[in-house]
């Protein structure tokens, strides 16, 4: 009963926020919408008793990624500036078409997949289990993807630093700071 | 908030230029000083001071007043060095009219000036701490300044704009408590300077923030006509009290505080050392001062300033103040030009701040110790 | 009070500080030295107590260069004085050395209607703002000055207030009936 | 006293029963219970903030050889109440050309982030608004939402000083969060749990700051430094930096919106000190010395919430002490300190801690 009420509230909230993301007229507001969506999804995870996932969702997406997006917005955007132009008719039409196709595919996918309710096992999983699974070398372990992802991230970091270092324009009269 | 159209120095703004307007209402410009800062990120690319927000036209006002009346205008210049400004003006008038000053008045002038110097540096020390983000030194500085203000209040009834030193001597003799109170202050303040050192000088963050920051080389300091602690911190041993002695200063044994580095830290320790030297001068002056005697030469009812040019210079807490006086045989001066220390000191500021951070503007400006009414006159 | 002979510290304390001695009419060694540096065009004026040397306005840059070469590295102040009756502005350059305790004044005249002279701000950086102030107060233009703007008054200020014939047309303080 | 504290369970039970009798609708009962909980927490937060502000002013005053507020009430204890009323009743000014929506949202975000985080803290046994098995992760996640509030405030104000402050805040808080989390992780390895309740329970035999092989002390120091920076307190208050940026991101805010930022700042100070007390100093656990049963018995008599608040306020005092003695770092020095010294140290600390936790026993078992 309780869970259902919350589910509908959250679902409405997520949908509204998602609409806000795409319909807001400047980047910063879109970022706010994105945060709301991500928080709503974190709430969904909580409803499903996946507290760890929910915490990670907030930490990584809200605390990390969106803040970085906001940071970029701060660097490029002006408050009074309207970043997005008003869409013309063709763009509206094509957007509607894409939306309809996507909606159709989603409905079809949901319909054709038979869902089973989560097993008791999955719900009882604790942080310790997650940790073990991530570093396990057994058949069901995730050590390989885990390491591959960390490698990719390191490569991305180094690449970002290299790019940022190259494009820094030399400033006239700027002294070497201690 | 966009680029100022009147700023001819700045080229046409591009999307990369980020201008911020520091002042006229800003906590760290110490009054209504406005600086237009061109930034790249937090780095200062250029800085243009805009002066005149407290311009009162004192030089124009002098043309309508007599020599004694002008004394009252002088402590509105650098209100933290009121006694020294009075003294410099009095010297100008005395020079023009050939007035001699009684012995006791000369000593009172020295004591009052050195007390003012200490009070000014105490206030600066507190504000310096506050500019760097430490609020507590501010209160400490004001606590100790209070004692000096009390001494001033008892001598002339005023705590900030004293009008105590006037052409011909000082306005009135001090009370009997004066000597005891001043000695008590000297004894009290000697250990307090060490407390200042332990609270602020030893702090790692203070040293990080000031050492090597905002270096003013000696040749540039000389070229800009910087004076006072700003010049001495660049390694130039120049103090009017030593190099151009006036009053009874030659009779005292003291040392000019000099530091060769030219950075903010040097300006900081030079001022601390100056407080110590001032204490020394005060003690000696109290010892040598005649216990009684006249403190003011009787002046003629109208002081006609003879034709010609006169100039007297005095060392205030911020540097050299000079009054350039042109007389034309009338009681009112034909022209008075006031050369104020802060005006010259600040002119060196835009050059040395380039390449430093926004926070360093505050640090370096704080160690330049400008008083805006002194700049604007 | 530069001419006041202050007693050396080892002497017994005199009863009163003597009044500043009057400046002798004949040039003393210091003044002779300056006259030597300035060359034949300069004339010594002993009116008042500040040694004054009058030079022609066309030679001011040359004179200042000579002074700077002779070690006069400290420009205390520059100021103008307005003499409307004689139709001239008088420019005073007060100069000294950091190593010496005597200052002197170099004076030059310019016509009121011309009000134009060459800058010395490339010789002494201190002249930069001082000349701006003179421009601000007297309307004297300094050729070759790097940044000649009003410094203390508004950019829109009408007139030059330190001229003797200045009438304040902006502020009606005096006219108000108090 | 003890009875009252330990009887909270029965209070909740009584409330539930009473609600069920009168409302008959389980959904309504749940909602009312939530509202009551939120109300209690909100009241607590307001009072806490006022107390903290009063303490701050008094600490500052006495460090500066003055008395601080003395007029309103005995020793000025009602001064902050008066100030809050003033702030709440003042006109809310929204400057021209701001992004109104974001401008108004930003203080709410900051306040809510601080407020929600507080609900995970165990103040005493069984006094905890929400208990998650990953409580500490949640706090860290939600407090990172606070950064967003600051960034939004700085951007929406349409003021260059605010924007500078916001940029500094973003860079600073994100950087120092790393050190803070790494320092906490070192202890969490020893505790073996992310649940606040269990973290406290795990210190029944000794606080982690002593017991964790010296890792605890290093971690505590790192956490104190990093969390001070996260709260934008001196010497890391370059975000507000009143002598440089006038007030940084909240320059344009007034009245209740400013009060929310102010409140959030003080709640955040309390929060990081509470986390520190819980993770390093055993939360509400009394201080015990090995076999000295008599002494331990006396300590046990002190109610747990006194222990908890005693520890937290002691840490809060330290943070305030920083503020009134230290000057402020420059922005590049601040970043250099984090990335060149603090973070590597925290990483090494974490590595050593992991090795010790895997192979070693515990020191100072008796404390």
């Amino acid at each position: 009963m309780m869970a259902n009420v919350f589910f509908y509230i959250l679902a409405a909230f997520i949908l509204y926020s998602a609409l806000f993301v795409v319909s807001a007229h400047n980047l910063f507001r879109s970022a706010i919408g994105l945060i709301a969506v991500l928080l709503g999804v974190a709430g969904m995870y909580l409803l499903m008793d996946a507290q760890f996932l929910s915490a990670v969702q907030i930490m990584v997406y809200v605390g990390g990624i969106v803040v970085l997006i906001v940071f970029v917005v701060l660097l490029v955007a002006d408050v009074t500036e309207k970043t997005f132009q008003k869409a013309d008719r063709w763009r509206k039409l094509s957007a509607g078409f894409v939306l309809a196709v996507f909606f159709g595919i989603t409905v079809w996918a949901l319909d054709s997949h038979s869902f089973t309710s989560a097993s008791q096992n999955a719900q009882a999983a604790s942080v310790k289990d997650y940790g073990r699974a991530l570093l396990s070398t057994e058949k069901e372990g995730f050590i390989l993807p885990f390491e591959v992802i960390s490698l990719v991230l390191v490569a991305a970091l180094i690449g970002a630093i290299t790019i940022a270092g190259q494009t820094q324009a030399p400033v006239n009269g700027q002294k070497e700071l201690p | 908030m966009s680029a100022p159209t009147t700023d001819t120095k700045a080229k046409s703004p591009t999307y990369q230029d980020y201008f911020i307007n520091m002042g006229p209402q800003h906590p760290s410009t110490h009054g209504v000083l406005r600086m237009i800062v061109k930034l790249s990120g937090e780095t200062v690319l250029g800085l243009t001071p805009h002066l005149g927000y407290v311009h009162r036209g004192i030089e124009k006002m002098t043309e309508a007043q007599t020599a004694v009346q002008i004394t009252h205008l002088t402590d509105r210049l650098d209100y933290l060095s009121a006694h020294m400004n009075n003294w410099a003006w009095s010297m100008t008038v005395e020079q023009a009219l050939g007035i001699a000053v009684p012995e006791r008045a000369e000593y009172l002038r020295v004591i009052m000036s050195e007390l003012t110097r200490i009070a000014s540096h105490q206030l600066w020390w507190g504000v310096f701490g506050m500019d760097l983000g430490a609020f507590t030194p501010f209160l400490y500085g004001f606590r100790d300044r209070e004692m000096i203000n009390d001494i001033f209040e008892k001598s002339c009834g005023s705590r900030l704009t004293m009008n105590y030193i006037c052409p011909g001597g000082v306005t009135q003799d001090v009370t009997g408590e004066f000597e005891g109170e001043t000695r008590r202050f000297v004894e009290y303040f000697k250990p307090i300077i060490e407390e200042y050192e332990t609270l602020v000088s030893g702090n790692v963050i203070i040293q990080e923030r000031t050492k090597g920051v905002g270096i003013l080389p000696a040749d540039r300091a000389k070229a800009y006509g910087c004076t006072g602690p700003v010049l001495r911190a660049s390694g130039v041993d120049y103090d009017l009290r030593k190099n151009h002695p006036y009053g009874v200063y030659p009779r005292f044994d003291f040392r000019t505080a000099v530091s060769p580095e030219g950075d903010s830290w040097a300006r900081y320790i030079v001022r601390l050392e100056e407080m110590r030297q001032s204490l020394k001068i005060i003690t000696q002056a109290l010892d040598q001062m005649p216990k009684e005697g006249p403190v003011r030469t009787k002046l003629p009812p109208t002081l006609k300033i003879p034709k010609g040019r006169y100039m007297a210079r005095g060392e205030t807490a911020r540097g050299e103040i000079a009054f350039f006086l042109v007389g034309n045989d009338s009681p009112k001066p034909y022209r008075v030009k006031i050369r104020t220390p802060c005006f010259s000191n600040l002119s060196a500021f835009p050059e040395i701040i380039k390449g430093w951070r926004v926070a360093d503007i505050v640090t370096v400006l704080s160690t330049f110790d400008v008083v805006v009414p002194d700049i604007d006159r | 009070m530069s001419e006041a002979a202050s007693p050396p510290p080892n002497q017994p304390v005199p009863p009163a500080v003597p009044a500043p001695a009057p400046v002798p009419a004949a040039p003393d060694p210091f003044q002779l030295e300056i006259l030597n540096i300035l060359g034949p065009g300069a004339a010594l004026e002993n009116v008042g107590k500040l040694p004054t040397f009058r030079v022609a306005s066309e030679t001011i840059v040359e004179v200042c260069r000579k002074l700077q070469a002779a070690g006069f590295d400290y420009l205390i102040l520059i100021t103008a004085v307005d003499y409307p009756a004689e139709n001239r502005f008088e420019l005073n350059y007060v100069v000294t050395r950091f190593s010496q305790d005597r200052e002197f004044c170099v004076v030059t005249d310019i016509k009121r209607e011309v009000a134009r002279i060459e800058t010395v701000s490339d010789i002494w950086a201190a002249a930069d703002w001082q000349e701006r102030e003179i421009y601000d107060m007297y309307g004297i233009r300094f050729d070759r000055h790097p940044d000649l703007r009003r410094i203390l008054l508004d950019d829109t200020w009408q007139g030059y207030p330190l001229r003797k014939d200045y009438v304040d047309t902006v502020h009606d303080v005096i006219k108000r009936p108090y | 006293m003890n009875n009252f504290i330990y009887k909270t369970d029965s209070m909740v039970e009584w409330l539930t029963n009473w609600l069920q009798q009168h409302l008959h609708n389980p959904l309504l009962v749940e909602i009312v219970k939530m509202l009551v909980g939120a109300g209690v927490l909100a009241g607590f937060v307001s009072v806490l903030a006022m107390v903290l502000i009063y303490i701050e002013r008094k600490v500052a005053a006495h460090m500066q050889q003055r008395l601080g507020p003395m007029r309103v009430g005995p020793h000025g204890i009602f001064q902050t109440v008066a100030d809050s009323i003033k702030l709440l009743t003042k006109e809310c000014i929204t400057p021209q050309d701001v992004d109104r929506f974001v401008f108004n949202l930003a203080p709410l975000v900051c306040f809510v982030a601080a407020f929600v985080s507080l609900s995970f803290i165990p103040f005493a046994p069984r006094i905890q608004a929400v208990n998650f098995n990953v409580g500490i992760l949640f706090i860290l996640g939600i407090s990172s939402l606070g950064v967003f509030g600051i960034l939004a405030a700085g951007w929406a104000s349409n003021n260059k000083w605010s924007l500078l402050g916001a940029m500094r805040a973003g860079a600073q808080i994100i950087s120092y969060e790393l050190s803070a989390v790494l320092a906490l992780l070192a202890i969490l390895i020893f505790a073996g749990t992310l649940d606040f309740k269990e973290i406290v329970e795990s210190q029944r035999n000794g606080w982690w700051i002593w017991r964790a092989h010296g890792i605890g002390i290093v971690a505590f120091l790192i956490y104190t430094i990093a969390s001070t920076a996260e709260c934008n307190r001196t010497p890391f208050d370059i975000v507000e930096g009143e002598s440089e940026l006038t007030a940084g991101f909240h320059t344009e805010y007034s009245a209740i919106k400013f009060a929310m930022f102010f409140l959030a700042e003080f709640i955040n100070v309390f929060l990081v000190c509470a986390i520190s007390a819980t993770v390093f100093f055993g939360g509400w656990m009394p201080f015990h010395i090995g076999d000295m049963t008599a002494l331990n018995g006396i300590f046990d008599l002190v109610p747990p919430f006194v222990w908890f608040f005693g520890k937290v306020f002691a840490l809060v005092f330290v943070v305030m002490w920083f503020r009134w003695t230290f000057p402020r770092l420059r922005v590049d020095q601040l970043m250099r300190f984090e990335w060149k010294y603090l973070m590597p140290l925290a990483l090494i600390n974490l590595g050593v801690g992991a090795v010790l936790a895997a192979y070693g026993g515990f020191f100072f078992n008796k404390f």
Side-chain angles (χ1 to χ4, degrees), chain B residues 204-215:
Chain B
V204 183
I205 300 175
I206 291 270
Q207 298 196 0
E208 275 281 304
R209 286 288 305 273
T210 53
K211 278 193 177 160
V213 172
I215 296 170

Side-chain angles (χ1 to χ4, degrees), chain C:
Chain C
M1 225 158 106
S2 60
E3 276 68 45
S6 298
N10 50 0
Q11 266 191 5
V13 178
V17 177
V23 178
D28 61 12
F30 173 70
Q31 291 167 352
L32 280 175
E33 185 201 337
I34 314 277
L35 277 173
N36 263 338
I37 296 165
L38 294 180
L44 175 66
E45 252 178 42
N46 264 332
V47 192
K49 306 254 166 72
L50 189 67
T52 308
F53 302 89
R54 190 170 290 277
V55 299
S57 65
E58 299 79 38
T59 61
I60 189 70
V61 174
E62 191 194 331
V63 160
C64 289
R65 245 182 241 294
K66 278 183 196 161
L67 286 174
Q68 215 245 1
F72 286 96
D73 48 0
Y74 182 16
L75 177 73
I76 299 177
L77 59 90
I78 308 177
T79 187
V81 185
D82 184 13
Y83 294 99
E86 296 154 48
N87 190 26
R88 64 183 174 107
F89 287 123
E90 192 184 76
L91 278 165
N92 299 264
Y93 297 72
V94 184
V95 182
T96 186
R97 291 182 177 122
F98 276 105
S99 50
Q100 193 168 26
D101 68 346
R102 287 194 63 178
E103 66 279 330
F104 64 92
C105 183
V106 175
V107 169
T108 185
D109 283 338
I110 50 175
K111 285 263 178 297
R112 250 175 141 250
E113 64 269 12
V114 178
R116 198 172 256 285
I117 195 168
E118 267 203 279
T119 178
V120 294
S121 61
D122 47 352
I123 301 168
W124 296 292
D128 187 333
W129 281 21
Q130 300 273 359
E131 288 178 346
R132 274 179 71 186
E133 196 190 328
I134 294 171
Y135 167 68
D136 197 356
M137 298 298 172
Y138 286 93
I140 300 174
R141 294 185 176 276
F142 290 87
D143 296 337
R144 296 189 300 111
H145 191 282
D147 182 26
L148 197 64
R149 291 180 286 128
R150 284 197 182 268
I151 188 167
L152 292 178
L153 301 177
D154 270 0
D155 292 322
T156 53
W157 192 277
Q158 298 293 312
Y160 301 102
L162 277 183
R163 288 188 181 191
K164 291 285 179 186
D165 54 1
Y166 174 76
V167 181
D168 190 347
T169 51
V170 184
H171 301 91
D172 55 347
V173 183
I174 302 160
K175 288 176 230 152
R176 276 195 203 133
Y178 283 118

Side-chain angles (χ1 to χ4, degrees), chain B residues 213-222 224 226 230-231 233-235 260-264 267 345 348-349 351-352 368:
Chain B
V213 172
I215 296 170
L216 177 62
D219 57 331
R220 294 315 289 158
K222 283 176 169 181
Y224 275 111
C226 297
V230 176
L231 178 73
S234 294
E261 296 91 359
D263 56 1
S264 304
R267 291 189 278 275
N345 289 356
F349 182 69
E351 183 179 308
I352 66 165
F368 267 61

Side-chain angles (χ1 to χ4, degrees), chain D residues 127-154:
Chain D
I127 299 191
Q128 190 181 9
V130 186
N131 187 36
F132 277 175
N133 61 11
V134 286
I136 201 154
L137 265 189
F138 245 98
I139 284 201
L140 295 172
I142 287 176
S143 61
S144 66
L145 203 60
V147 189
F148 174 74
I150 291 174
L151 287 177

Side-chain angles (χ1 to χ4, degrees), chain D residues 275-293:
Chain D
I275 294 175
S276 191
T278 311
V279 173
F280 297 103
F281 294 97
W284 43 261
M285 284 284 175
F287 183 66
H288 280 182
I289 300 177
D291 309 324
M292 299 170 78
T293 340

